[in-house]
Amino acid sequence: MPYDNQRAYDRLVFELSSPGRLAFSLPESDVPVEPALNALPAKYRRATPAALPEVSELDVVRHYSRLSQMNYGVDTHFYPLGSCTMKYNPKINEDAARIAGFARLHPLAPEAAAQGALQLMYDLGKMLAEIAGMDAVSLQPAAGAQGELAGVLMIRAYHEARGEKRTKVLIPDSAHGTNPASTALAGYEVIEVKSDAEGQVDLADLERHLGPDVAAFMITVPNTLGNFEPRVMEIAERCHAHGVQVYMDGANLNAILGITRPGDLGFDVCHFNLHKTFTTPHGGGGPGAGPVGIKSHLEPFLPAPVVAKKDDGYFLDWKRPQSIGKLQAFWGNFGMHVRAYTYIRTMGADGLRAVSDNAVLNANYVMKRLEAYYDVAAPGPCMHECVLSARKQKKLGVTAMDVAKRLLDLGFYAPSTYFPLIVEEALMIEPTETESKETLDAFCEAMIRIAREAETDSRGIHEAPVTTPVRRLDQTKAAREPNLRWRPRS
Ligand SMILES: *Cc1c(COP(=O)(O)O)cnc(C)c1O
């Protein structure tokens, strides 16, 4: 069979192995090997050498370079994954994060030797507080979901400090899935509040649940249908009248930067995803950063330590007797803090406002171009993302999953599918502010082409994807029984 250079990536590096081939060439060692080997007790020594791949340096470089080219990322392609905000990550953030004074600073360096890092964290907390209208921010949480957990634990500590026993947290059915999960983890019973026909919180249902046993109301803004909750201030007032704390899931602040602030809307707690709103990279499970902002009445409960400032510099304040405790081995994902700090400083206030203006414009542009072809989940205009439904296509035998797979062949990553759960055959599209009109048009044309194919050639869609390294996987098996380990043939 001819050597197929393009398909060489199909093989594992183990399968490239050739006995005796080496990835280095060094002069013969004049250090005796035996005494060193014998220093290790026999029971710890292998009977046979490890089955490592025997490959040349060039084999290794080509193998991993090819693998890296199979990667799909925002640096190579448009990535309209709704709720995830796959916006471009400016490279200047990376430059800053690689400055040796940041990148190589030991997390246990004495405060006097870490003043720059402490100042950066202190200032980033202040900037995020200003952006969100909050009084203080903890940078410790390593993800949005952990920010939620920290926020809910602070709410719990607050009620307990006042001698109040509250056991429930109210969450609308349009919330992000992490909201009920972190709430349950914090020991609360989750009560679902219904949405009305417009996808807004059903106020009568909310009122029915409010009472002295409710600790908090937790709402995703904008909600997962892509809409801003128009009665959010009234909701906060009604909750406060019952002593209920109001939590905003602000993972995506992309629609409201410089336009409104969670604190001004009446929220007591709000977390941010630096990896969504503030251009720190994400994907593949991390690293993330989910700082949490709070109003002053919750300050005593902040995770310890808190980065603080006194006359002669910055320090870690551990003397916080009411703190919910420490959330991380160290102080948070500091590299992400450097990137977000750099981003906010390079954008400035006007730049951040422009982010939201453009994110909302782009999402509405996509929604308008596609509404004649796909059903829209909630009447527009939308915020930074739009939710379509493939229910029309489903009648022709083409599901949201099929649309997603076909998009891969047409050169686009798929939108989020089947989320939010309250929309049948959901396709959640978040174009982000960093994409050009040309890119958005090309994406819309691909979506329109698929809608047409659904009417004429649905069989072809069911075949998709045909251009990717792997075709359709058994999604359940791929998630539940991942086969990630190579074993030598015996
Ligand atoms: C992404 C997201 C989260 C969860 O953030 P993680 O960093 O993945 O834990 C929570 N809420 C909303 C609205 C989100 O979009």
Side-chain angles (χ1 to χ4, degrees), residues 83 143-146 148 176 178-179 220 249 251-252 271 273 275-276:
S83 183
Q146 201 185 22
E148 292 170 24
H176 192 271
T178 49
N179 296 182
T220 302
D249 179 340
N252 298 287
H271 79 269
N273 279 19
H275 48 292
K276 287 180 182 166

Side-chain angles (χ1 to χ4, degrees), residues 30-114:
D30 56 2
V31 179
V33 175
E34 279 305 313
L37 272 184
N38 292 337
L40 205 62
K43 63 174 175 175
Y44 294 126
R45 275 184 262 146
R46 290 175 186 278
T48 49
L52 296 175
E54 296 179 82
V55 286
S56 70
E57 179 170 333
L58 187 54
D59 287 337
V60 175
V61 169
R62 285 194 181 145
H63 180 72
Y64 287 103
S65 298
R66 284 195 193 98
L67 281 182
S68 75
Q69 288 161 1
M70 288 168 75
N71 211 4
Y72 192 106
V74 76
D75 283 356
T76 55
H77 292 85
F78 177 48
Y79 213 127
L81 198 62
S83 183
C84 293
T85 318
M86 303 305 284
K87 62 168 84 174
Y88 178 66
N89 313 128
K91 297 300 170 250
I92 189 164
N93 298 354
E94 299 302 315
D95 281 354
R98 281 165 179 70
I99 292 172
F102 290 139
R104 309 200 57 180
L105 184 64
H106 195 282
L108 292 177
E111 282 164 4

